[in-house]
């Protein structure tokens, strides 16, 4: 049977689009599903603030009525304007190991982009860099974080066969948390020195609720610090409000650090959260009716922390401020019994962020790639 491409036009189709990934990777020990409700909101034109400057359509590949692939076609007009590009993005792509299927999906995105005046196709990318991005090209035997893609190894062979080449790579590190007291004390001394030298202090909090007023300046600092990075655009006020609500439950005071100047202006932050991977795998992306119980357990009994975001104000970069964040995170991990920390994707050429791990025992255990091709 020939491959049929069907545009998602109904809520029923959208649910099938989301659930295909869950079924496709069912039982896979390395894939961590998205939260189902988050995906419904992400793909909703009414609920996703990125549609203020993005347009998108979603497509299913069918054979004899059975789903054999999916893909999202996205244009981020704000990113294209900032980076002076005419790019259409493909994202949330999955397909069976058949060249006819992958070609049909990618060709659909190409034609969709051409019809809107685009000259390049890139991906996998989401609406913004806060979405999952990058196709896994190394580390197929490692479990994903809850905020990163997993894909089968054959995906990259399909991309090569279709003529796609590397645009940029991200790498992920697995960091062993130091346990010896001497190392912890050394980092604490460095942290104290930097705090005093630059008249900084750590915002201390007893609960997650006390962090709520900091979330808006937190994302404003994300806009500032991440501005030079690949494909980024400033988050809008509506997006900041959305991501604040999403991040707030993940904040753990023991593995989170907000650094403030003498005027209580945020100049740096680091946010880590106990890994939710096992809980999400067990419940296949659903918090209800009982998934939330295992998520709560993961916050209190875990040996791995996911390093979600870290940023330093440009005025304070290369001044040792990262040591403040790392020192607090080490003490928090030691307190919680955390044995290892997993970074999110870091741009391969971003020496600033990668250099902060040089004094730790690390293992580069994953690599993911954004592909590109001229239309």
């Amino acid at each position: 049977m020939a491959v049929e491409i069907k545009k998602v036009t109904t809520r029923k189709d959208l649910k099938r689009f989301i659930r295909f990934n869950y079924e496709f990777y069912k039982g896979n020990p390395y894939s961590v599903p998205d939260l189902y409700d988050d995906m419904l909101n992400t793909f909703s034109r009414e609920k996703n603030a990125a549609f203020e400057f993005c347009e998108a359509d979603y497509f299913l590949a069918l054979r004899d009525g059975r789903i054999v692939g999916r893909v999202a076609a996205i244009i981020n007009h704000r990113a294209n304007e900032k980076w002076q590009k005419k790019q259409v993005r493909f994202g949330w792509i999955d397909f069976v190991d058949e060249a006819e299927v992958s070609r049909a999906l990618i060709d659909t995105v190409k034609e969709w982009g051409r019809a809107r005046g685009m000259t390049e196709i890139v991906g996998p990318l989401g609406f913004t860099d806060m979405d999952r991005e990058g196709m896994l090209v190394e580390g197929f035997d490692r479990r994903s974080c809850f905020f990163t893609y997993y894909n089968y190894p054959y995906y990259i062979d399909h991309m090569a066969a279709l003529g796609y080449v590397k645009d940029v790579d991200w790498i992920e590190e697995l960091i062993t948390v130091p346990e010896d007291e001497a190392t912890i004390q050394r980092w604490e001394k460095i942290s104290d020195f930097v705090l005093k030298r630059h008249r900084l202090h750590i915002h201390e909090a007893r609960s997650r609720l006390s962090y709520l007023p900091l979330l808006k300046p937190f994302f404003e600092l994300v806009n500032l610090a991440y501005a030079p990075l690949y494909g980024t655009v400033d988050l809008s006020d509506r997006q900041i409000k959305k991501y604040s609500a999403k991040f707030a439950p993940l904040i753990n005071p023991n593995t989170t650090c907000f650094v403030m100047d003498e005027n209580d202006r945020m100049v740096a932050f680091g946010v880590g959260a106990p890994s939710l991977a096992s809980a999400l795998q067990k419940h296949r992306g659903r918090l209800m009716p009982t998934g939330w119980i295992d998520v709560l357990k993961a916050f209190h009994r875990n040996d791995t922390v996911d390093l979600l975001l870290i940023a330093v104000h440009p005025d304070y970069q290369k001044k040792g401020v990262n040591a403040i964040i790392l020192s607090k995170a080490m003490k928090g991990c030691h307190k919680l019994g955390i044995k290892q920390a997993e970074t999110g994707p870091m741009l391969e050429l971003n020496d600033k962020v990668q250099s902060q791990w040089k004094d730790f025992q690390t293992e580069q255990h994953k690599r993911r790639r954004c592909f590109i091709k001229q239309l």
Side-chain angles (χ1 to χ4, degrees):
M1 297 290 292
V3 176
E4 172 195 357
I5 296 296
K6 175 181 173 60
K7 180 180 173 180
V8 171
T9 58
T10 67
R11 187 171 177 84
K12 180 180 178 181
D13 285 342
L14 183 59
K15 289 181 177 180
R16 294 175 74 200
F17 181 93
I18 296 169
R19 287 173 177 157
F20 174 67
N21 178 269
Y22 301 166
E23 294 300 325
F24 197 45
Y25 287 96
K26 184 178 180 180
N28 185 293
Y30 310 118
S31 177
V32 178
D34 299 282
L35 277 171
Y36 179 76
D37 290 337
D38 274 357
M39 288 297 94
L40 280 177
N41 292 337
T42 295
F43 297 131
S44 167
R45 286 165 173 77
E46 292 73 33
K47 295 184 179 180
N48 188 348
F51 277 99
E52 294 172 355
F53 50 87
C54 292
E55 57 180 301
D57 277 313
Y58 322 118
F59 301 93
L60 294 169
L62 305 172
R63 178 177 279 128
D64 197 22
R66 181 175 65 90
I67 300 176
V68 290
R70 68 170 190 171
V71 72
I74 303 166
I75 298 175
N76 183 323
H77 293 286
R78 189 174 289 175
N80 280 345
E81 181 180 355
K82 174 181 175 180
W83 299 101
Q84 298 183 338
K85 304 283 187 180
K86 291 185 178 181
Q87 294 181 335
V88 57
R89 303 176 171 196
F90 67 90
W92 287 281
I93 187 168
D94 287 302
F95 48 85
V96 298
D97 190 9
E98 297 177 23
E100 185 183 9
V101 176
S102 58
R103 182 177 294 278
L105 288 168
I106 290 291
D107 282 353
T108 298
V109 178
K110 286 167 60 178
E111 293 307 314
W112 187 90
R114 274 200 194 104
R116 289 158 177 78
M118 301 298 104
T119 59
E120 290 179 321
I121 177 171
V122 294
L125 292 171
F127 293 93
T128 73
D129 66 307
M130 299 297 286
D131 295 315
R132 295 185 178 199
E133 54 190 4
M135 185 175 287
L136 194 66
V137 296
E138 294 176 11
F140 298 104
D141 59 347
R142 301 300 179 92
R143 188 174 63 183
S144 291
C145 297
F146 74 91
F147 51 88
T148 56
Y149 280 122
Y150 181 81
N151 54 264
Y152 292 119
Y154 66 78
Y155 281 35
I156 57 178
D157 297 328
H158 284 244
M159 299 308 298
L162 290 168
Y164 284 77
V165 297
K166 170 184 171 179
D167 194 24
V168 70
D169 274 9
W170 294 268
I171 61 174
E172 298 170 42
E173 301 276 2
L174 190 65
I175 303 164
T176 300
V177 176
E179 294 184 359
D180 61 290
E181 199 64 34
T183 299
I184 295 172
Q185 289 180 358
R186 179 168 63 85
W187 279 92
E188 189 171 8
K189 287 180 180 178
I190 297 172
S191 172
D192 289 343
F193 173 79
V194 176
L195 286 167
K196 292 175 182 176
R197 181 173 184 177
H198 298 291
R199 299 179 182 178
L200 304 174
H201 63 276
I202 296 173
H203 177 89
E204 299 292 351
R206 295 183 179 179
S207 70
R208 292 180 178 88
L209 291 177
S210 63
Y211 284 125
L212 293 179
L214 297 180
L215 290 174
K216 189 172 188 297
F218 168 94
F219 282 107
E220 290 172 345
L221 183 53
V222 167
N223 281 343
L224 186 62
Y226 287 30
L229 301 183
Y230 177 87
T232 58
V233 292
D234 282 358
L235 299 172
S236 67
D237 288 342
R238 231 184 108 201
Q239 285 179 294
I240 288 175
K241 184 176 181 181
K242 167 196 167 184
Y243 287 121
S244 294
K246 190 173 180 178
F247 263 78
L250 298 176
I251 292 176
N252 185 311
N254 291 295
T255 54
T256 295
C257 181
F258 292 110
V259 183
M260 321 297 284
D261 68 11
E262 56 190 336
N263 297 313
D264 265 348
R265 181 186 64 146
M266 189 181 301
V267 299
F269 67 78
V271 177
S275 173
L276 303 181
S278 292
L280 293 179
Q281 284 180 320
K282 180 178 179 180
H283 296 278
R284 301 180 66 193
R286 293 278 198 176
L287 290 181
M288 302 301 290
T290 59
W292 62 273
I293 297 174
D294 284 305
V295 168
L296 287 178
K297 287 179 180 177
F299 274 104
H300 297 286
R301 293 195 298 273
N302 215 312
D303 65 355
T304 302
V305 65
D306 291 333
L307 303 179
L308 304 181
L309 287 172
I310 186 168
V312 178
H313 192 287
D315 291 347
Y316 286 86
Q317 292 176 5
K318 296 184 178 180
K319 295 184 177 180
V321 175
N322 282 28
I324 302 169
I325 298 167
L326 296 177
S327 174
K328 187 173 188 300
M330 265 189 283
K331 288 187 287 186
C333 287
H334 196 258
K335 177 181 177 181
L336 297 173
I338 299 290
K339 304 298 182 183
Q340 60 186 14
E342 186 162 3
T343 72
M346 304 176 292
L347 282 167
E348 181 182 35
L349 300 178
N350 188 349
D351 294 332
K352 289 181 181 178
V353 70
Q354 290 182 47
S355 64
Q356 65 191 335
W357 313 121
K358 61 182 175 61
D359 293 328
F360 295 89
Q361 181 183 334
T362 64
E363 175 191 357
Q364 181 185 310
H365 69 143
K366 294 178 201 161
R367 178 182 293 267
R368 55 190 69 249
R369 179 164 298 163
C370 182
F371 293 89
I372 189 168
K373 187 177 181 180
Q374 299 297 311
L375 294 183

